Amino acid sequence: MDIQSYLDQVFKRSFLSRRERSDLAEEMATHLHSSKEHHMNEGCTEEQATTKAIAFFGDPITLRTKLTQETYGLSSKLILQFIIMSLILYLSSLFIGIVLHYYDVHNNVIELFPIAFITLCALISALLLTRKNTDRWCLLSVPILFGLGYLQAYLGLFKNMFGSLDSFTLFENLFFSGAYDFSGRNSFILIGGLILAVQTLILFVISKNIYISLMPFAFSILYTVSHMVIFGSYYLFFGDHFSSSVTNGYNVFAAGNIQRLSDIGVKLGMCLVLFFTLSSLKKLIFKSKLQAG
């Protein structure tokens, strides 16, 4: 095995950025070639020297595990395994929910399992975008508002918490991108988007990581699409015989898909605007630091 083949194995499926791979590969190649030259000066052939230099660095898979664990907090292999496992659990929980409903066993908790597993999958996948512990803490905070929305919509928590009001459904209306008829809820879509934009800005101030900062919009879109898939599957199998506390029949659900697609479009537009805004801001901050230094 030559040095370049060894480095290719080290960075295979590491998911490091191009710049990170380039910088690390350059540094490692310098050490490997220096070690190789040292062994050749001691009388080894080129092939023997290369083998010894590579052996000193160690197994490429072990080295990749160490590098990615230092970068993401978990090795890329472990992250991939968790992603695959959570996707399997997501699909399995959806399938089991459909089977249970066929046998007249259905409740709100069963509907929540696929959402829980797709959230887990998204959080683990997003670890590949983190580089420090601050990023990971910020990432963990992303689903909180959505979680409150789900608890309100499915379990009725935080409702009637203000005595003079019949119902308090702020989280449900703003952050539950679910199965409701969206008619007349355009203002909620916009207000929810603005709150997610504020959350994005707060995360950026804390982490300086643009991609982690934009996760609130990614999660909002993910939940909306997930509900279209989950409830679409239930209605596909059971039609109007399917009932749930968060949907009002197939026709209402299908009609709401237009608004859901509009919601996705609005969130994508806001996400792009924030991405370019934060990218420009980050460049300005970097430039000002260089000038100050």
Side-chain angles (χ1 to χ4, degrees):
M1 181 190 298
D2 61 20
I3 289 175
Q4 187 56 52
S5 298
Y6 174 78
L7 293 174
D8 289 341
Q9 283 197 31
V10 170
F11 294 106
K12 184 180 181 182
R13 292 191 298 274
S14 68
F15 302 107
L16 294 168
S17 69
R18 184 179 300 177
R19 181 175 179 176
E20 287 171 330
R21 288 196 303 269
S22 177
D23 290 345
L24 285 169
E26 183 178 351
E27 182 181 349
M28 290 170 64
T30 300
H31 288 295
L32 283 164
H33 283 294
S34 176
S35 178
K36 175 184 172 181
E37 185 177 346
H38 170 74
H39 289 301
M40 289 180 68
N41 290 336
E42 289 187 337
C44 293
T45 64
E46 183 176 359
E47 184 177 350
Q48 290 172 331
T50 301
T51 301
K52 286 186 176 184
I54 289 174
F56 178 78
F57 257 67
D59 176 64
I61 297 176
T62 303
L63 184 55
R64 183 201 310 150
T65 298
K66 183 180 178 181
L67 285 173
T68 55
Q69 189 162 356
E70 289 175 354
T71 303
Y72 309 127
L74 292 174
S75 70
S76 58
K77 181 181 178 181
L78 198 57
I79 290 174
L80 274 176
Q81 290 174 342
F82 279 134
I83 290 172
I84 294 169
M85 182 179 68
S86 54
L87 279 175
I88 291 172
L89 289 171
Y90 166 72
L91 295 172
S92 299
S93 62
L94 176 56
F95 175 74
I96 291 170
I98 291 171
V99 171
L100 288 175
H101 188 76
Y102 178 80
Y103 289 103
D104 296 322
V105 179
H106 193 85
N107 57 51
N108 289 341
V109 175
I110 291 173
E111 290 179 23
L112 279 173
F113 273 112
I115 298 299
F117 289 130
I118 203 65
T119 300
L120 179 64
C121 182
L123 286 172
I124 294 168
S125 301
L127 279 176
L128 296 172
L129 301 173
T130 65
R131 292 298 182 272
K132 53 186 186 293
N133 285 331
T134 305
D135 294 344
R136 294 166 199 131
W137 284 112
C138 287
L139 177 61
L140 282 176
S141 73
V142 169
I144 290 175
L145 293 175
F146 299 104
L148 293 173
Y150 278 97
L151 290 174
Q152 228 174 30
Y154 275 100
L155 304 180
L157 299 183
F158 311 114
K159 287 189 177 181
N160 304 315
M161 59 189 301
F162 300 111
S164 59
L165 299 178
D166 292 331
S167 179
F168 176 73
T169 57
L170 178 66
F171 300 118
E172 179 183 303
N173 285 326
L174 294 180
F175 306 111
F176 173 64
S177 301
Y180 285 111
D181 175 15
F182 270 46
S183 301
R185 296 183 67 227
N186 292 334
S187 59
F188 282 119
I189 292 173
L190 182 59
I191 295 170
L194 291 174
I195 293 176
L196 294 180
V198 172
Q199 186 183 10
T200 292
L201 293 174
I202 293 171
L203 291 176
F204 179 73
V205 169
I206 296 171
S207 71
K208 307 297 188 297
N209 185 323
I210 295 174
Y211 299 105
I212 294 300
S213 301
L214 292 171
M215 282 294 110
F217 288 96
F219 272 69
S220 178
I221 293 169
L222 172 71
Y223 288 134
T224 303
V225 172
S226 293
H227 271 283
M228 292 172 72
V229 171
I230 293 167
F231 283 93
S233 299
Y234 276 110
Y235 281 120
L236 177 66
F237 283 97
F238 304 111
D240 273 326
H241 293 292
F242 170 69
S243 61
S244 169
S245 63
V246 295
T247 185
N248 298 304
Y250 173 74
N251 290 332
V252 173
F253 174 74
N257 282 338
I258 301 299
Q259 283 77 21
R260 290 185 193 90
L261 292 173
S262 300
D263 180 42
I264 290 172
V266 169
K267 298 290 173 55
L268 282 174
M270 295 179 75
C271 191
L272 285 172
V273 169
L274 282 166
F275 174 79
F276 288 115
T277 301
L278 294 178
S279 296
S280 300
L281 182 60
K282 196 169 184 178
K283 288 178 182 177
L284 285 173
I285 292 172
F286 181 72
K287 187 177 180 180
S288 63
K289 284 184 177 179
L290 283 179
Q291 291 175 345

